Amino acid sequence: MLKTRLTELLGIKYPLIQAGMGPFSTNMLCAASANAGALGLISTSGIASQLIAPDMYRIFMESTPGAKEAKTPIDVYKLVYRATLERTKEAKGIFGSNIMVSEELRGMAVKLIEALKEVREESEEMRERGKLIVTSAGDPIKMTNLLKDSGMLWGHVVPSVKHATRAVKAGVDFLVVSGQEGGFHGPWEPISTMTLLPAVCEEFPDTVVVGTGGFCDGRSVAAGLVLGADGVQMGTRFLATKDCEFADSWKEKVVEIGDRGTIRARGIVGPARYLKTPVSQDMCAETVKFAPGTFTGVPDTMTSIPAKILMAEMKGFAATFEGDETKSLYTGGECAQRITDIPTAADLVERIMEETVEALKGLRERYQV
Ligand SMILES: Cc1cc2nc3c(=O)[nH]c(=O)nc-3n(C[C@H](O)[C@H](O)[C@H](O)COP(=O)(O)O)c2cc1C
């Protein structure tokens, strides 16, 4: 048992969030994480990928009863919610969605949120357990009107104190503070969790804060709590679980990668962190040449850099499904170097929470305070 402002706000057993990880489905991972007592998040960034990435879309369809007959991705999304409610019924798991709201994805984000409002009208149980969304990668203030009267709890991912200030102004219920060591999407001006998390906690003592980026075990969760967080979100750690729908080679690569195992390069929606392989190293070299803003901290746009850089990401992801390791591109966070196994989400959550309590109790003994 570990009670924090986050567990109280969301009604979850443990102060732990399984991160949204697109563009793939995390439908099954979400249900397994929610059943284990964490908050499970459904990823939505690939839900409209039918034309550009059929393999990614296929996974949404395969894990969702009735999806093959659905007419639109929005209908599939509603079915995903109904299926998640069923999958988490016994344990009364709490779940939500990660929805990216960057400019190029905002139109889709609005449609997804409208669909969510409709689905939540269907039952008290859906409102009670499918209770929140975590937005990311865009201006939260543009979402305020849509979200503040929606009845859902709302978290937003922020990479700086400035962004946190804007999210608080937008009216979020909690902040997800994202350090640059995290997997995949990162900020133009990167700050590490060690500096950013306490800075945001100090600036907003009355707001519930979740740390993310670099957390993968009980010691790191305990450190996050000591830094002032009310809970922790993990991406790369949950990716390497049996319940995650990502390709097996991806999970194995997380476990395999060691010291100095990640690299930054331009991704579709901005800078991104990849597991270091010849493919991601090539992408980094292209980024230096054609999209240097990733390293100089000056944002470029999708139209100001060559399309081949943007397409490389989708091609690399598709190769993970085709089983071609020489072309596969894997995203992941720095903490991959500390991940050594692929457990079930249930075993992982139990283990991490036991370790967290041990680590917190051990502090007093170890340092004789
Ligand atoms: C494979 C992968 C895919 C991700 N996709 C998304 C996404 O679609 N939306 C988002 O907001 N964050 C995304 N993230 C970031 C995670 O939500 C989370 O913030 C990050 O993984 C935390 O750092 P960690 O990997 O060190 O735990 C992704 C991360 C990974 C590893």
Side-chain angles (χ1 to χ4, degrees):
M1 191 70 173
L2 191 54
K3 262 194 187 178
T4 69
R5 292 189 298 181
L6 184 74
T7 58
E8 298 292 291
L9 178 71
L10 306 186
I12 48 180
K13 186 172 173 196
Y14 297 128
L16 194 56
I17 300 180
Q18 162 255 313
M21 286 180 285
F24 304 94
S25 155
T26 55
N27 299 348
M28 302 310 286
L29 176 61
C30 165
S33 307
N35 287 336
L39 170 72
L41 287 182
I42 293 164
S43 302
T44 60
S45 60
I47 214 157
S49 60
Q50 196 168 9
L51 293 178
I52 54 164
D55 275 329
M56 289 175 209
Y57 191 67
R58 182 172 51 74
I59 298 178
F60 281 96
M61 308 296 278
E62 279 171 0
S63 64
T64 310
K68 286 196 179 114
E69 291 78 45
K71 291 202 178 72
T72 67
I74 297 297
D75 292 335
V76 173
Y77 182 53
K78 290 181 188 171
L79 290 168
V80 168
Y81 253 71
R82 292 180 194 125
T84 308
L85 191 70
E86 280 311 303
R87 287 174 185 141
T88 52
K89 217 173 197 39
E90 213 181 304
K92 297 191 170 42
I94 306 292
F95 60 93
S97 281
N98 167 236
I99 299 184
M100 294 174 79
V101 296
S102 56
E103 213 150 301
E104 62 277 23
L105 297 173
R106 198 174 302 131
M108 188 63 186
V110 169
K111 284 186 195 164
L112 291 168
I113 293 166
E114 296 289 4
L116 207 45
K117 285 184 180 178
E118 274 178 50
V119 161
R120 292 179 81 256
E121 284 302 308
E122 291 173 4
S123 72
E124 184 60 39
E125 192 184 6
M126 183 67 94
R127 285 191 289 282
E128 185 47 41
R129 297 203 290 106
K131 63 166 70 163
L132 75 130
I133 85 164
V134 175
T135 52
S136 56
D139 184 357
I141 287 187
K142 301 235 162 73
M143 308 311 289
T144 298
N145 289 343
L146 195 57
L147 282 168
K148 271 321 271 181
D149 63 353
S150 68
M152 280 184 278
L153 291 169
W154 176 23
H156 186 73
V157 180
V158 296
S160 72
V161 174
K162 183 179 163 195
H163 290 86
T165 306
R166 201 154 169 85
V168 169
K169 192 172 163 202
V172 299
D173 299 293
F174 62 101
L175 294 166
V176 181
V177 175
S178 177
Q180 63 113 0
E181 51 273 74
F184 209 176
H185 311 292
W188 295 98
E189 295 157 294
I191 308 172
S192 295
T193 300
M194 186 71 161
T195 300
L196 181 60
L197 183 53
V200 172
C201 292
E202 281 156 19
E203 192 73 25
F204 300 104
D206 299 329
T207 304
V208 172
V209 172
V210 176
T212 195
F215 299 97
C216 64
D217 62 358
R219 284 171 128 190
S220 47
V221 176
L225 298 176
V226 171
L227 290 175
D230 301 286
V232 155
Q233 169 174 285
M234 295 182 188
T236 307
R237 180 55 276 196
F238 275 102
L239 191 163
T241 58
K242 290 196 173 72
D243 301 280
C244 179
E245 292 106 310
F246 280 55
D248 285 344
S249 66
W250 201 319
K251 301 177 193 181
E252 284 153 18
K253 191 59 80 183
V254 167
V255 169
E256 229 173 73
I257 220 85
D259 187 32
R260 295 162 296 143
T262 68
I263 192 167
R264 288 178 79 239
R266 181 65 157 91
I268 287 187
V269 296
R273 185 174 293 284
Y274 300 91
L275 299 181
K276 202 196 282 175
T277 62
V279 183
S280 61
Q281 284 174 300
D282 280 353
M283 246 179 112
C284 181
E286 294 277 297
T287 302
V288 170
K289 267 198 237 159
F290 301 113
T294 293
F295 300 112
T296 58
V298 182
D300 48 42
T301 69
M302 277 176 139
T303 50
S304 68
I305 59 172
K308 69 174 179 179
I309 291 195
L310 301 171
M311 290 321 293
E313 189 177 295
M314 296 312 269
K315 278 191 192 160
F317 291 164
T320 66
F321 283 97
E322 289 149 12
D324 185 347
E325 286 232 20
T326 62
K327 294 192 181 141
S328 293
L329 187 63
Y330 307 104
T331 55
E334 284 180 359
C335 67
Q337 79 171 65
R338 301 191 57 234
I339 295 173
T340 54
D341 60 358
I342 304 177
T344 63
D347 287 346
L348 178 70
V349 169
E350 280 306 315
R351 180 174 87 199
I352 289 176
M353 292 325 302
E354 274 170 27
E355 286 170 357
T356 304
V357 171
E358 279 304 298
L360 289 171
K361 282 186 184 159
L363 284 178
R364 180 161 281 224
E365 211 170 283
R366 192 161 173 201
Y367 301 108
Q368 296 169 14
V369 282

